[in-house]
Amino acid sequence: MTGVLVLAGTPIGRVGDAPPRLAEELAAADVVAAEDTRRLRRLVTDLGIELSGRVVSYFEGNESARTPALVEALESGERVVLVTDAGMPSVSDPGYRLVAAAVEAGIRVTAVPGPSAVLTALAVSGLPVDRFCFEGFLPRKAGERARRLADLAAEQRTMVFFEAPHRTQAALEAMRDAFGADRAAAVCRELTKTHEEVRRDGLGGLVDWAAAGVRGEVTIVVTGATPGAAIATDPESLRAAVAGLEESGMRRKEAIAVVAGQAGLPKRDVYQVVHIDG
């Protein structure tokens, strides 16, 4: 008999939000794989339980090296519980490699559903929730970030992003440049914690708000594009759009990429308009 891999959701803020099964699974596990073993110990103390199984660290830096040993434990019949610092494992957190390896080995994978920053932010944002997509963290480099957002300029589903507090202002500025200052959005900070805050405004207004500094865990929700709301594709409009982004501080290469995404055109066509026809 092979074992079972259990993906266990952990609180994103208040420990009282932990599902009752979390304590049961942790106490009964043969192996607990934790993103941060110190946080695991605090969680166990808060839950009032003791671990009977062995604890191993399992984080981004050692996922590849640790996965084979965990699969071996599963194949030998052990029950492995995987937890990350907050929320559901494998959703912008360690876990995907282990899940994929377990599935390939024919091992049962199940979950203890728990709090999710993605769904919590979406629910409280006040933005459309009937269709949405999760985009995780944006690239740190400005050019790569601009290109990623340019690809999303025509996305009609509500988009959910994670962001570090010290990069929130830059991310909002890039979103404003790619989607427009009036695009409705919400910045959800410290969800379910004592200092929880949900700031709702257009992207332009949120950029101004973030200029004072942002602290804590951040999730950004942005409404999708309105069908047919892309910018005009005549040469004059394209050149004006690129010029406007350049005036805001964006490099021409990135500005062309953003405008191309908003207009639904290949980047080479916008480049032609700006550099040659113009």
Side-chain angles (χ1 to χ4, degrees):
M1 293 283 293
T2 58
V4 178
L5 172 61
V6 182
L7 309 178
T10 56
I12 60 175
R14 302 175 185 232
V15 71
D17 293 335
R21 274 186 55 212
L22 176 61
E24 298 172 12
E25 289 287 355
L26 287 172
D30 297 303
V31 182
V32 179
E35 183 178 9
D36 186 326
T37 57
R38 291 169 298 180
R39 289 199 181 192
L40 171 66
R41 298 294 182 187
R42 289 198 294 271
L43 176 62
V44 165
T45 298
D46 289 340
L47 293 175
I49 60 172
E50 293 185 3
L51 301 178
S52 58
R54 64 186 187 278
V55 175
V56 299
S57 65
Y58 190 78
F59 57 94
E60 185 179 358
N62 70 2
E63 270 189 279
S64 297
R66 284 279 163 87
T67 293
L70 290 173
V71 171
E72 190 174 307
L74 289 162
E75 290 178 327
S76 69
E78 293 189 296
R79 192 174 187 88
V80 176
V81 176
L82 175 63
V83 293
T84 54
D85 291 347
M88 285 299 298
S90 84
V91 180
S92 269
D93 273 333
Y96 168 75
R97 289 183 178 88
L98 181 55
V99 172
V103 169
E104 184 176 356
I107 293 164
R108 181 183 169 217
V109 179
T110 187
V112 177
S116 165
V118 176
L119 295 180
T120 303
L122 185 69
V124 302
S125 69
L127 301 175
V129 298
D130 53 332
R131 297 176 67 229
F132 71 94
C133 58
F134 174 54
E135 292 295 326
F137 286 92
L138 289 170
R140 296 185 181 187
K141 294 183 178 179
E144 295 176 5
R145 184 168 56 228
R147 286 189 288 274
R148 173 77 63 80
L149 291 171
D151 291 339
L152 294 170
E155 174 60 63
Q156 296 180 21
R157 294 173 294 180
T158 297
M159 296 167 281
V160 184
F161 303 85
F162 285 163
E163 194 50 87
H166 63 280
R167 290 197 298 270
T168 297
Q169 183 183 2
L172 290 169
E173 288 173 347
M175 291 176 184
R176 175 201 62 196
D177 294 340
F179 305 150
D182 294 331
R183 182 80 71 91
V187 177
C188 305
R189 190 180 68 82
E190 294 288 87
L191 284 169
T192 77
K193 300 177 184 177
T194 302
H195 300 291
E196 176 181 278
E197 179 181 16
V198 180
R199 193 81 178 189
R200 305 173 182 89
D201 203 342
L203 286 168
L206 289 173
V207 168
D208 295 338
W209 165 79
V214 179
R215 295 182 179 181
E217 301 291 332
V218 173
T219 305
I220 302 172
V221 187
V222 184
T223 194
T226 302
I231 64 173
T233 58
D234 61 279
E236 184 177 349
S237 296
L238 294 175
R239 283 193 289 269
V242 171
L245 292 178
E246 287 185 286
E247 289 174 4
S248 71
M250 186 178 292
R251 293 190 304 172
R252 176 166 290 188
K253 182 179 180 181
E254 278 70 48
I256 287 174
V258 168
V259 171
Q262 293 174 332
L265 295 172
K267 285 183 287 187
R268 64 178 179 274
D269 289 359
V270 180
Y271 181 93
Q272 171 87 13
V273 168
V274 173
H275 284 275
I276 301 175
D277 298 342

